[in-house]
């Protein structure tokens, strides 16, 4: 048996500026690990560096044929010959801590290979039909009929509920306004009819998304039967809080040996699940529990490695037996269900797409813009934006006039873009001027959450830091706050940048700096039960100003109005997924400030994440089919 050695570790950082340092550290470890001194160390270092860069960019693996300056066969020979990698089907893979693994044409960090296979096995074991007797089917059928009166069109919400009633795993993808919350409310109502003691837990990757899920379900409760209203959870959790995040990165209190106490777990904004968090979540499910994942397959993937939701929801179809159960509950023709849509489904019978938006009609401003961005129709979308035929959309030429190609001021937002930013927060500043210490901060939060500026990048004159600094200066001047006032002035919005489980604050939580009843400066954070918790500024974890957010940080949020400030030039981060995510954060109005060149380039670019999850799931499905 091969001797175990500590495996070189590589932990990707979300800070792009640290990429080079992290990559070089990993390369040094790999070269030192190599057992064969006769191999080409420079080539090995180049391959390791490329893999490190890929992981920093959110990829789970890297295709060997994507390596620059080296063929896939040559890379395979160097990796295997040096002893730093093994083939996925190697007999000693489990005994030796190889730092890298080759699976077919894909190269992995060993940790990501193991996570991907654990997740694939967990999804496959979860993707099973539930035993539902005829009496329960009859009651479900009656409840669905009452909740979704029959009509001539296929009701995809009804299909999605029926799916979740008959399968342990339900993956429901839909854009804004397609009725994901309505679907969950109906599911809870149906379960309450048959199993009134069912334990239901709501969760989301961020505090904002969790609060939105709870509030949306509470609003739907008015239309539900009393039994269903009684089963609606009063609270929604962030996934880190639900799993019991510890001070050790990636370690949770709940896992396979200490599972969660629940019967149904509903996770909203599941497109934000990265590979590691998704694996930890499925590990912690009790064997009998149902899991419902809600998300939008067209949104940005997680900041960390992986695009789990997009991978598992990229196509849907129902096997004949599953289609027959859905038809029995919904009267939807089974031939439609078995035909499916999209790419070949990797989890047949577990995926439903909600195809009709009830918030945006096909020709509405935001709906049409989102659809054309998704289709990559940048030029057509831009022509329509510039014509501005709909009050819900606005285009602002967002760059200052150019003098020469490399002048720093070329990247500054235009005067029109700056004015739109300032005007967007006018309602919030007006509310701050009328602040009353005896009032709840609820009205201030409502005024602040009405509008948000979204950016694509962190650095530069059109990046997060510069935009927040500009708006902070503007806010101080507009509110008459002296320049020598400390950083925690009344009205400053704060976003938390790291998890602080001891204080129940998590990455992405947004609060406002306000005086408490005694006039002491505190930061108020909304809680998932509709209240507020306060924190002394000195006790805050790492944080920043939050007048502007990156599009990634805005996921799980909704604002009445959004202003998207495009970067000055096309950048790697800009993609149609980013544009679509930004546009669909708005419920009433979207302003896009930028140049035509950058907008069209963003619509043309895809945010592709390399992973082997789809192929691994298909391989496991073939294995299961072959053994039965």
């Amino acid at each position: 048996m091969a001797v175990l050695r500590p495996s070189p570790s590589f932990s990707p950082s979300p800070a792009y500026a640290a990429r080079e340092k992290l990559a070089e550290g990993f390369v040094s470890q790999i070269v030192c690990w190599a057992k064969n001194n006769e191999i080409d160390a420079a080539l090995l270092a180049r391959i390791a560096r490329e893999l490190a860069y890929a992981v920093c960019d959110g990829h789970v693996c890297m295709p060997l044929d994507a390596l620059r300056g080296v063929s896939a066969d040559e890379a395979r020979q160097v990796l295997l010959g040096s002893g730093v990698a093994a083939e996925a089907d190697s007999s000693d893979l489990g005994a030796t801590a190889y730092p890298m693994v080759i699976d077919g044409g894909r190269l992995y960090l060993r940790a990501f290979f193991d996570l991907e296979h654990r997740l694939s096995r967990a999804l496959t074991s979860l993707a099973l039909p539930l035993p539902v007797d005829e009496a329960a089917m009859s009651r479900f059928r009656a409840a669905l009929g009452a909740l979704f009166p029959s009509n001539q069109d296929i009701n995809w919400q009804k299909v999605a509920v029926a799916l979740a009633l008959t399968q342990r795993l339900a993956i429901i993808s839909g854009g804004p306004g397609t009725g994901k919350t309505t679907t969950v409310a109906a599911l809870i109502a149906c379960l309450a009819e048959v199993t009134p003691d069912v334990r239901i837990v709501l969760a989301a990757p961020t505090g904002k998304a969790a609060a939105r899920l709870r509030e949306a379900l509470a609003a739907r409760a008015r239309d539900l039967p009393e039994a269903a209203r009684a089963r609606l959870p009063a609270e929604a959790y962030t996934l880190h809080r639900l799993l019991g995040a510890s001070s050790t990165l990636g370690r949770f209190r709940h896992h396979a040996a200490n599972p969660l106490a629940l019967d149904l777990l509903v996770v909203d904004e599941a497109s934000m699940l990265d590979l590691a968090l998704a694996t930890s979540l499925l590990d912690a499910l009790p064997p009998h529990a149902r899991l419902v994942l809600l998300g939008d397959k067209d949104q940005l993937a997680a900041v960390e490695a992986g695009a789990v939701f997009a991978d598992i929801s990229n196509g849907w179809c129902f096997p004949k037996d599953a289609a027959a159960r859905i038809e029995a509950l919904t009267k939807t023709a089974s031939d439609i269900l078995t035909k499916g849509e999209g790419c070949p489904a990797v989890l047949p019978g577990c995926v439903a797409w909600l195809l009709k938006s009830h918030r945006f009609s096909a020709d509405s401003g935001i709906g049409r813009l989102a659809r054309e961005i998704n289709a990559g129709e940048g030029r057509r979308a831009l022509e329509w934006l510039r014509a501005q035929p709909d009050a819900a959309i606005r285009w602002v030429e967002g760059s200052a006039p150019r003098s020469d190609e490399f002048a720093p001021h070329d990247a500054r937002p235009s005067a029109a873009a700056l004015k739109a930013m300032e005007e967007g927060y006018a309602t919030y500043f007006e509310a701050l001027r009328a602040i009353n210490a005896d009032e709840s901060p609820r009205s201030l939060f409502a005024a602040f959450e009405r509008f948000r500026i979204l950016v694509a990048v962190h650095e530069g004159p059109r990046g997060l830091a510069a935009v927040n600094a500009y708006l902070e200066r503007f806010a101080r001047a507009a509110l008459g706050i002296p320049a020598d006032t400390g950083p925690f002035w009344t009205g400053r919005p704060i976003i938390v940048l790291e998890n602080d489980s001891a204080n129940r604050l998590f990455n992405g939580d947004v609060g406002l700096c306000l005086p408490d009843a005694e006039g002491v400066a505190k930061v108020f954070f909304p809680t998932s039960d509709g209240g507020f918790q306060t924190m002394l500024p000195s006790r805050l974890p790492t944080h920043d100003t939050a007048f502007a957010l990156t599009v990634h940080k805005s996921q799980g949020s909704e604002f009445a109005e959004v202003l998207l400030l495009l970067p000055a030039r096309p950048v790697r981060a800009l993609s149609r997924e980013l544009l679509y995510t930004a546009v669909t954060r708005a419920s009433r109005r979207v302003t896009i400030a930028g140049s035509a060149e950058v907008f069209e380039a963003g619509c043309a670019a895809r945010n592709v994440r390399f992973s082997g999850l789809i192929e691994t799931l298909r391989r496991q499905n073939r294995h299961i089919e072959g053994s039965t």
Side-chain angles (χ1 to χ4, degrees):
M1 181 178 291
V3 178
L4 286 168
R5 290 193 287 169
S7 174
S9 61
F10 177 66
S11 300
S13 167
Y16 182 78
R19 187 176 87 148
E20 293 291 330
K21 183 177 180 180
L22 285 165
E24 291 309 315
F26 176 65
V27 168
S28 297
Q29 292 183 66
I30 289 296
V31 172
C32 290
W33 172 277
K35 300 175 184 177
N36 184 352
N37 294 327
E38 296 181 3
I39 56 95
D40 187 337
L43 181 54
L44 178 62
R46 191 195 317 166
I47 296 169
R49 187 175 294 108
E50 290 287 329
L51 179 58
Y53 289 164
V55 170
C56 278
D57 290 340
H59 301 292
V60 174
C61 59
M62 180 179 62
L64 287 172
D65 59 11
L67 287 164
R68 290 174 289 187
V70 56
S71 71
D73 287 341
E74 187 179 5
R76 187 185 299 271
Q77 290 175 9
V78 169
L79 289 164
L80 297 176
S82 66
V84 303
E87 297 278 9
D89 57 1
S90 172
S91 58
D92 70 338
L93 182 61
T96 304
Y98 290 101
M100 292 188 277
V101 177
I102 300 172
D103 187 6
R106 300 182 299 274
L107 177 63
Y108 290 82
L109 290 177
R110 174 63 181 272
F112 283 1
F113 175 82
D114 290 343
L115 282 171
E116 190 169 89
H117 278 251
R118 277 173 57 198
L119 178 61
S120 180
R121 288 192 297 270
L123 287 167
T124 302
S125 64
L126 193 63
L128 296 172
L130 285 162
V132 184
D133 60 34
E134 188 52 45
M137 286 286 284
S138 178
R139 295 177 72 178
F140 285 153
R141 190 181 304 114
L144 283 168
L147 291 162
F148 300 102
S150 60
N151 52 52
Q152 293 183 346
D153 296 329
I154 298 172
N155 191 318
W156 292 109
Q157 295 174 15
K158 191 176 183 180
V159 169
V161 176
L163 161 64
L165 290 171
T166 55
Q167 290 280 147
R168 284 192 62 207
L169 174 64
I171 302 158
I172 301 170
S173 176
T178 52
K180 295 189 289 292
T181 304
T182 300
T183 300
V184 173
L187 169 63
I188 293 172
C190 290
L191 288 175
E193 285 287 323
V194 176
T195 52
D197 58 346
V198 62
R199 297 171 299 174
I200 301 168
V201 173
L202 308 176
T206 67
K208 176 62 69 177
R212 278 192 61 216
L213 176 61
R214 182 194 61 79
E215 290 164 2
L217 278 174
R220 293 291 307 161
R222 294 188 295 269
D223 303 324
L224 297 179
E226 175 58 35
R229 290 200 297 271
R231 300 313 309 155
L232 281 175
E235 189 173 6
Y237 299 85
T238 64
L239 287 174
H240 283 84
R241 183 182 163 208
L242 176 68
L243 293 173
S246 70
S247 56
T248 304
L249 184 65
R251 296 288 180 88
F252 297 100
R253 186 173 67 254
H254 290 289
H255 42 74
N258 181 32
L260 296 160
L262 52 81
D263 302 310
L264 167 64
L265 175 59
V266 177
V267 179
D268 199 11
E269 297 293 345
S271 61
M272 299 168 70
L273 284 172
D274 61 78
L275 176 63
L277 185 56
T279 305
S280 294
L281 178 67
L282 267 73
D283 279 349
L285 280 180
H288 71 280
R290 306 170 195 252
L291 175 64
V292 176
L293 299 177
L294 305 170
D296 185 344
K297 63 183 177 59
D298 296 318
Q299 276 193 31
L300 278 171
V303 174
E304 302 298 338
V308 172
F309 190 81
D311 283 346
I312 61 179
S313 63
N314 71 337
W316 66 268
C317 72
F318 289 85
K320 288 183 179 179
D321 56 345
R325 290 195 300 274
I326 302 298
E327 183 177 26
L329 289 174
T330 66
K331 298 182 180 179
T332 304
S334 60
D335 59 340
I336 295 174
L337 298 172
T338 54
K339 182 180 179 181
E341 191 170 343
C343 300
V346 294
L347 292 167
C350 295
V351 180
W353 291 357
L354 302 181
L355 301 174
K356 181 179 179 181
S357 176
H358 302 275
R359 182 187 306 167
F360 308 127
S361 67
D363 294 324
S364 71
I366 297 175
R368 175 173 172 174
L369 180 58
R371 188 179 70 254
E372 293 195 346
I373 288 171
N374 246 346
E377 297 287 351
R379 180 161 299 177
R380 188 166 68 186
L382 182 64
E383 290 173 357
W384 183 72
L385 267 171
R386 283 176 160 164
Q388 300 193 160
D390 193 309
I393 53 99
R394 179 169 59 147
W395 171 261
V396 173
E397 292 294 342
S399 299
R402 291 185 172 218
S403 58
D404 68 72
E405 187 177 356
F406 300 104
H409 72 265
D410 284 352
R412 292 184 321 200
S414 66
L418 293 174
K419 183 180 179 183
M421 292 184 211
E422 296 162 3
E423 290 175 344
Y425 281 113
T427 299
Y428 177 55
F429 296 152
E430 184 178 336
L432 283 171
R433 293 187 191 99
I435 190 171
N436 185 331
D438 296 328
E439 283 185 299
S440 163
R442 198 174 310 279
S443 60
L444 283 173
F445 272 93
F448 177 67
E449 294 294 337
R450 189 193 66 80
F451 172 77
R452 194 71 85 251
I453 297 165
L454 304 182
V455 298
V457 294
H458 284 264
E459 306 301 329
R462 303 167 70 80
L464 184 72
V467 173
N468 271 323
Y470 174 83
L471 285 164
E472 186 161 356
R473 291 193 300 271
F474 179 81
R476 284 175 176 265
L479 297 170
I481 298 171
D484 59 355
T485 302
F488 295 99
W489 44 274
T490 296
R492 181 191 174 197
I494 300 287
I495 183 168
V496 174
L497 299 179
E498 65 180 7
N499 293 329
D500 180 1
S501 54
N503 287 311
R504 296 178 65 175
L505 291 176
F506 297 93
N507 190 352
D509 287 352
V510 174
L512 296 178
C513 188
L514 302 167
D516 65 10
E518 284 73 42
V520 178
K522 299 278 185 68
V523 182
F524 286 69
F525 291 94
T527 56
S528 57
D529 61 0
F532 295 93
Q533 69 165 324
T534 60
M535 185 74 62
L536 283 168
S538 59
R539 296 185 60 200
L540 286 173
T542 306
H543 58 276
D544 199 359
T545 302
F547 283 114
L549 300 176
T550 61
V551 178
H552 269 291
K553 286 288 188 186
S554 75
Q555 285 183 272
S557 298
E558 180 184 300
F559 312 101
E561 297 187 25
V562 159
L563 186 153
L564 172 62
L565 182 65
L566 298 177
R569 296 177 178 82
V571 295
R572 180 167 48 184
L574 189 67
S575 64
R576 73 179 62 166
E577 290 83 3
L578 183 139
L579 293 173
Y580 171 84
T581 302
V583 164
T584 55
R585 295 312 87 203
S587 61
R588 288 205 343 246
R589 193 181 195 202
V590 171
T591 298
I592 299 179
S595 70
E597 172 196 7
V598 172
F599 179 79
E600 290 186 39
C603 289
R606 298 302 307 267
N607 183 13
V608 176
R609 289 282 179 91
F610 295 133
S611 99
L613 183 59
I614 291 175
E615 176 55 35
T616 303
L617 282 166
R618 286 180 176 152
R619 189 187 305 157
Q620 289 186 353
N621 288 337
R622 289 195 296 268
H623 175 74
I624 292 170
E625 291 167 2
S627 62
T628 56

